Amino acid sequence: MTIRYLKRAEKTATTGEDDVRATVQSILNEIEAGGENKAREYAAKFDKWEGDIVVSAEDRQAAAARVPQRLKDDIRFSHDQVRKFAEAQRDALGEAEVELMPGLIAGHRNIPVKTAGCYVPGGRYSHVASAVMSVTTAKVAGVEQIVACSPPRPGEGINPAILYTLDLCGADTVLALGGVQGIAAMAFGLFTGHPADILVGPGNQFVAEAKRILFGRVGIDMFAGPSEVMVIADETADPEIVAWDIVGQAEHGYNTPAWVIALSESLGHKVMDLVPGMIAELPELNRVNAEAAWRDFGEVMVVDSREEAVKLSDDYASEHLEVHCADLDWWLANLRNYGSLFLGEETTVAFGDKTSGPNHILPTKGAAKYTGGLSVGKFMKTVTWQRMTREANRSIGQVTARISRLEGMEGHAKTADVRLEKWFPEEEFDLRGSG
């Protein structure tokens, strides 16, 4: 495959990870040992917050009164789309029961986890949509206890719109904690008495690393890194729309990868020409982030065929993948590694991020090769069960005993022997291992 780079990234998503890992591990260790008092210390240090950690019902109601009605209506609109999509996902997750042989019935059930911890970013940007995506999906899944946390602002607390959203979507407890201390509090059950069974939600590199370290003790939605966008565009694409979709994601942060696969070299050059001017139109903080992201992590690649574009895209396995090409059904049928797919210029990552329905908490750093984004199924355990007649033991018991002895596991074999002896005392069975 021939790839021509019109622009190549100078850095990757793993740049600087080792320093972050050591810092996060130290904070987690201290909070686990020091409990709620240590979490409060870190809230004061990093969030500049010394108020109540658990947001009271009165404060949640007061926050709702401060949210303009139009914003409430917009949040409800987003919640409705996400809830309906989550309900469709839940309804598609069937349970199973099958008679594998006469007398042997097995099945599986989908059981929600008991407690979910939902992290909602609220520092540099107030991610109302992340509250919708995480808490709504957990609620639809049937999670019993939903604990949410979000960074408080000094002297103010959690953003009122985030609090309103968390209430609307069904959070049982809200903690005014950000960063590693928020993740630790939810994982260890601080302030609530409900340790999380799973931690979900986007966050900065410290939040992502805290979830990665805790994985195993608790479940997580996925290993996450900086937000990513890839656009595949052919000669039919509108370069202005492609460029704005790249810039729209680059404002996430200085380390946001933004990639273009162009099937037209002229289109690739047009996009590169447009991006700097568009970045210059952004507010200062957004502009600084986008400039750094495009400079260090932006790429524009040219390939000669759509088959090459598919292979390259699948190798990157981007979080968000937009396709601005002819014959969208072909791309849907052939692309396989992505967090969420946006087909045609009529849709865009921002629609998925905020309102359109499918979840925006998605795999990054190549994880889309083996997992999808947050869904109802992430909050459920698929657990198996079986029951059996005594008659079915005649076959199952013999084979189990022989395989167990072949493997050298005599205790396993005896559990089969004793049943065969009890229910078929007049019969002789060859229960020796072979091989």
Side-chain angles (χ1 to χ4, degrees):
M1 179 171 62
T2 302
I3 306 170
R4 300 186 298 283
Y5 286 89
L6 304 184
K7 183 183 185 305
R8 193 159 195 173
E10 297 178 6
K11 298 181 180 180
T12 71
T14 60
T15 302
E17 279 189 343
D18 291 342
D19 293 339
V20 171
R21 187 165 300 147
T23 299
V24 171
Q25 184 68 71
S26 175
I27 296 172
L28 288 173
N29 291 344
E30 289 187 30
I31 294 176
E32 184 167 22
E36 294 179 2
N37 288 336
K38 184 58 69 172
R40 292 180 193 277
E41 287 181 24
Y42 275 109
K45 179 178 180 180
F46 292 130
D47 295 327
K48 303 295 186 286
W49 179 253
E50 298 184 1
D52 292 337
I53 298 299
V54 178
V55 182
S56 68
E58 293 77 15
D59 286 343
R60 290 164 72 164
Q61 291 171 3
R66 295 163 57 194
V67 178
Q69 186 59 48
R70 182 170 180 178
L71 178 53
K72 288 180 179 178
D73 292 342
D74 288 344
I75 292 169
R76 285 184 175 276
F77 178 89
S78 175
H79 173 252
D80 285 346
Q81 311 317 305
V82 173
R83 176 183 49 77
K84 286 187 286 188
F85 189 79
E87 288 171 346
Q89 287 183 317
R90 180 197 60 201
D91 294 344
L93 297 175
E95 299 198 346
E97 181 176 323
V98 58
E99 188 170 25
L100 298 170
M101 58 172 282
L104 169 56
I105 300 172
H108 78 236
R109 296 180 60 209
N110 298 315
I111 301 177
V113 301
K114 183 177 180 181
T115 303
C118 300
Y119 188 88
V120 180
R124 185 171 57 205
Y125 304 120
S126 294
H127 286 268
V128 167
S130 293
V132 175
M133 299 288 173
S134 59
V135 177
T136 303
T137 309
K139 195 72 174 179
V140 170
V143 175
E144 185 177 311
Q145 284 287 331
I146 301 173
V147 180
C149 76
S150 190
R153 294 178 176 177
E156 299 178 15
I158 296 175
N159 181 285
I162 289 179
L163 280 177
Y164 170 77
T165 306
L166 292 173
D167 256 358
L168 172 68
C169 298
D172 296 291
T173 307
V174 179
L175 305 179
L177 286 170
V180 178
Q181 59 273 22
I183 293 294
M186 293 191 295
F188 305 146
L190 305 181
F191 307 103
T192 66
H194 297 287
D197 299 309
I198 187 170
L199 297 168
V200 305
N204 63 20
Q205 56 192 336
F206 295 94
V207 168
E209 182 59 23
K211 289 164 61 181
R212 190 197 69 80
I213 290 172
L214 290 165
F215 177 61
R217 291 183 61 169
V218 300
I220 63 172
D221 44 8
M222 64 205 73
F223 293 125
S227 187
E228 304 165 351
V229 63
M230 174 173 279
V231 180
I232 303 174
D234 65 12
E235 67 280 357
T236 69
D238 183 330
E240 183 178 16
I241 290 180
V242 172
W244 267 122
D245 286 1
I246 289 293
V247 172
Q249 282 300 110
E251 74 174 355
H252 266 287
Y254 70 92
N255 54 356
T256 295
W259 306 305
V260 177
I261 298 177
L263 285 93
S264 160
E265 186 164 334
S266 64
L267 176 101
H269 282 294
K270 288 176 184 177
V271 170
M272 289 178 60
D273 290 342
L274 288 168
V275 165
M278 293 174 174
I279 291 175
E281 296 182 31
L282 299 176
E284 182 179 4
L285 176 61
N286 310 57
R287 182 175 69 250
V288 170
N289 285 331
E291 284 174 345
W294 180 243
R295 180 189 66 236
D296 296 336
F297 295 89
E299 289 188 338
V300 179
M301 300 157 277
V302 180
V303 296
D304 294 324
S305 70
R306 61 185 188 177
E307 289 78 14
E308 288 179 326
V310 165
K311 184 178 186 309
L312 185 57
S313 174
D314 282 349
D315 286 344
Y316 275 67
S318 61
E319 178 190 21
H320 306 99
L321 177 58
E322 294 189 5
V323 177
H324 296 232
C325 299
D327 195 3
L328 295 175
D329 288 341
W330 183 90
W331 294 95
L332 177 60
N334 285 275
L335 288 162
R336 64 186 304 146
N337 295 342
Y338 49 82
S340 193
L341 181 61
F342 301 81
L343 293 163
E345 68 178 28
E346 293 81 7
T347 188
T348 180
V349 172
F351 292 174
D353 274 355
K354 311 304 178 187
T355 56
S356 56
N359 211 287
H360 81 189
I361 300 171
L362 301 167
T364 62
K365 297 168 65 174
K369 292 177 180 177
Y370 60 83
T371 189
L374 185 64
S375 67
V376 165
K378 294 276 187 177
F379 293 102
M380 290 184 173
K381 305 171 293 181
T382 299
V383 295
T384 59
W385 59 268
Q386 58 185 272
R387 64 177 54 165
M388 194 179 305
T389 64
R390 293 179 178 182
E391 184 61 31
N393 270 250
R394 179 180 277 107
S395 299
I396 295 290
Q398 291 182 70
V399 175
T400 298
R402 290 193 291 265
I403 290 177
S404 296
R405 290 193 167 98
L406 172 65
E407 295 176 340
M409 304 187 78
E410 184 63 20
H412 281 60
K414 289 293 188 184
T415 66
D417 294 350
V418 70
R419 287 168 169 78
L420 293 172
E421 290 168 3
K422 179 177 181 178
W423 295 321
F424 308 102
E426 306 301 322
E427 296 187 43
E428 292 187 7
F429 302 104
D430 182 0
L431 305 178
R432 297 167 297 173
S434 60

